[in-house]
Amino acid sequence: MIDQQQVRRGSGDLTGIDARGALREENRRITWLPSLDENGPTAVELCSGMGAIGLGLRSLGFRVVRAYDSWDQAVAIYNHNAPESVAVECDLLTDEGLRRVTKDCRGLNGVDLLAAGPPCKGFSQIRNGHHHKTQASQHNRLLAVMPDYVAALRPRIVLIENVPDLIRHRCGKTLEDLLVRLEAPGARGLRYRVEHDVFDAALYGTPQARRRLLILCVRSGTGKEALPDPGPNLAPLYSAIRRGGRIREEVEPYRGILADPLDLAMTQAQQALSDIPLLGPGEPEEPRPYAMSPNTAFQQLMREGAPKFLSNTQTPLVRRETVLRLRQIPPGGCARDIPAHLLNGLSRRFGSAYRRLHPCAPSTALSTKYDCVYHYAGERSLSVREYARIQGLPDFVSFPATLACRRSAYEMIGNSVPPLLVRAVLGTALRTRNH
């Protein structure tokens, strides 16, 4: 079972304004290096994607011993970047998939943590492209089968991630049914204490306002782990910075945290990207040196264990009419800032189109499309490397073209879970085990 002394300290509750000195000391202890303790707590991942949750788990000292996903390219990228090739392609919706996972984990001396990031397209209000109802149903079913895997593996702790829109799906019935099944997932008296809350990744160091629903399940009688307070809703602060509006008194203190380059509690877009070479649109892929030494706590963390030269720096091509429109959009702006004479039949005039990063604010939530945000200092969208930075993925994580195309890399990143969110929230929960 999980011993609190075996688990590295997490980032803690990074929303506490009065804890900035302690946070800076904590930041110096954050590491991406995996645990080398063969007796450390074990973790299994479902719907693992390219491995972002695993990054957070390993930074807490977990040994990720198995990871499963149905997308072959994501499995290949996971194994390329992981210390061991633990990810395998597996259809978790089938009886065969359940049998395989159960058989694979039978030889383990128990599973300490089961982590899952089921696809969210069936619940999210964001629609990228045309999602068929059948595809949405498949995505919904993946979340629905999670209790079956909990019953089969009997982990001590379960962590499940999804979008906040799940709370409203079918007027709350979908989430309610899931929680009931997680509380009693199988026969033989197996019971879990279950709780959930919505967390903003930007409050845990990720340079992106990305709200995510986290569900924590603790097997009855094994500990008192609990989710931390999720902190305030800082959407008014982000909006005020991006649009030059008045900052409310109750969120004013967080502007100072966001502006401090040495405080990993919150990270601006420019604090995340300024050490990456600023390239024009359509630049080819080639190894490139960093533009400067790391000058923020976030950059220092992202560069831990990274090679000397950056990969995945190729920048997307941009059409001339897009460049003309972007020149009219200030940092933090969107399609609504485009003058009428430059619209030329543009149908994407809503606030989520043509979003441009503001250097002094976190990014808006990334989607799976490369052009969901544009650079604050250039008339182009982001490279895969910049996209990964906004998601909080360290620079040693790479996406070789031999394993996944560039379009797939953006999709993998957009679908992933910010590892800093995982390590902070779960790390805090683990420290409450015996309280």
Side-chain angles (χ1 to χ4, degrees), residues 84-388:
E84 297 178 313
S85 296
V86 298
V88 294
E89 189 177 350
C90 180
D91 186 353
L92 299 173
L93 284 175
T94 64
D95 292 338
E96 180 183 353
L98 179 59
R99 285 194 296 269
R100 176 174 187 175
V101 172
T102 304
K103 180 180 179 181
D104 287 351
C105 297
R106 192 171 293 154
L108 302 175
N109 186 23
V111 175
D112 294 304
L113 173 71
L114 178 65
C120 63
K121 289 178 181 177
F123 308 110
S124 178
Q125 292 180 345
I126 298 176
R127 293 290 182 264
N128 300 305
H130 301 284
H131 297 302
H132 194 276
K133 289 184 178 179
T134 302
Q135 292 177 317
S137 176
Q138 291 288 91
H139 291 133
N140 291 9
R141 287 178 58 207
L142 271 167
L143 179 66
V145 301
M146 290 300 107
D148 298 335
Y149 286 88
V150 174
L153 302 184
R154 302 175 64 89
R156 196 179 79 75
I157 294 178
V158 180
L159 182 70
I160 299 175
E161 176 271 348
N162 215 272
V163 292
D165 290 331
L166 175 61
I167 295 173
R168 295 183 289 275
H169 191 260
R170 294 175 55 228
C171 298
K173 190 71 166 58
T174 300
L175 179 60
E176 179 183 347
D177 291 346
L178 175 67
L179 297 179
V180 168
R181 292 183 60 216
L182 286 171
E183 289 176 352
R188 297 173 297 179
L190 184 62
R191 295 292 183 271
Y192 284 83
R193 174 173 50 82
V194 181
E195 60 177 316
H196 68 280
D197 217 326
V198 176
F199 297 83
D200 179 4
L203 278 167
Y204 301 89
T206 306
Q208 179 188 173
R210 189 179 187 88
R211 293 173 62 78
R212 282 297 180 266
L213 172 69
L214 295 181
I215 302 172
L216 180 72
C217 314
V218 181
R219 201 170 70 210
S220 295
T222 66
K224 300 179 180 179
E225 288 88 349
L227 291 173
D229 187 307
N233 180 4
L234 293 184
L237 172 64
Y238 309 148
S239 178
I241 293 174
R242 292 177 189 133
R243 306 304 293 183
R246 184 181 68 85
I247 296 177
R248 298 178 186 175
E249 183 178 354
E250 62 269 25
V251 299
E252 172 65 38
Y254 289 90
R255 179 167 63 168
I257 297 176
L258 184 59
D260 187 346
L262 300 181
D263 197 336
L264 191 56
M266 298 182 74
T267 305
Q268 301 173 347
Q270 67 178 354
Q271 293 171 353
L273 301 180
S274 65
D275 66 328
I276 297 178
L278 182 59
L279 305 174
E283 293 288 345
E285 175 62 23
E286 62 179 63
R288 290 184 168 92
Y290 288 92
M292 61 181 72
S293 299
N295 58 10
T296 71
F298 181 84
Q299 291 174 10
Q300 184 72 46
L301 179 60
M302 292 299 102
R303 290 166 67 163
E304 183 183 57
K308 183 177 181 180
F309 293 95
L310 283 165
S311 61
N312 305 118
T313 58
Q314 180 178 352
T315 54
L317 290 167
V318 181
R319 295 186 299 176
R320 181 177 179 277
E321 61 183 7
T322 300
V323 172
L324 294 176
R325 290 167 181 162
L326 288 172
R327 287 175 178 171
Q328 302 300 315
I329 301 175
C334 63
R336 293 172 180 165
D337 297 298
I338 301 174
H341 71 279
L342 290 177
L343 291 176
N344 297 330
L346 179 70
S347 60
R348 299 172 64 197
R349 304 180 190 179
F350 40 87
S352 61
Y354 275 83
R355 283 178 171 172
R356 195 162 191 180
L357 295 174
H358 192 289
C360 299
S363 169
T364 52
L366 298 182
S367 73
T368 60
K369 303 297 183 181
Y370 74 95
D371 61 350
C372 71
V373 292
Y374 290 84
H375 203 285
Y376 56 82
E379 283 85 30
R380 62 165 175 82
S381 51
L382 305 183
S383 66
V384 168
R385 177 56 52 206
E386 291 164 333
Y387 218 68

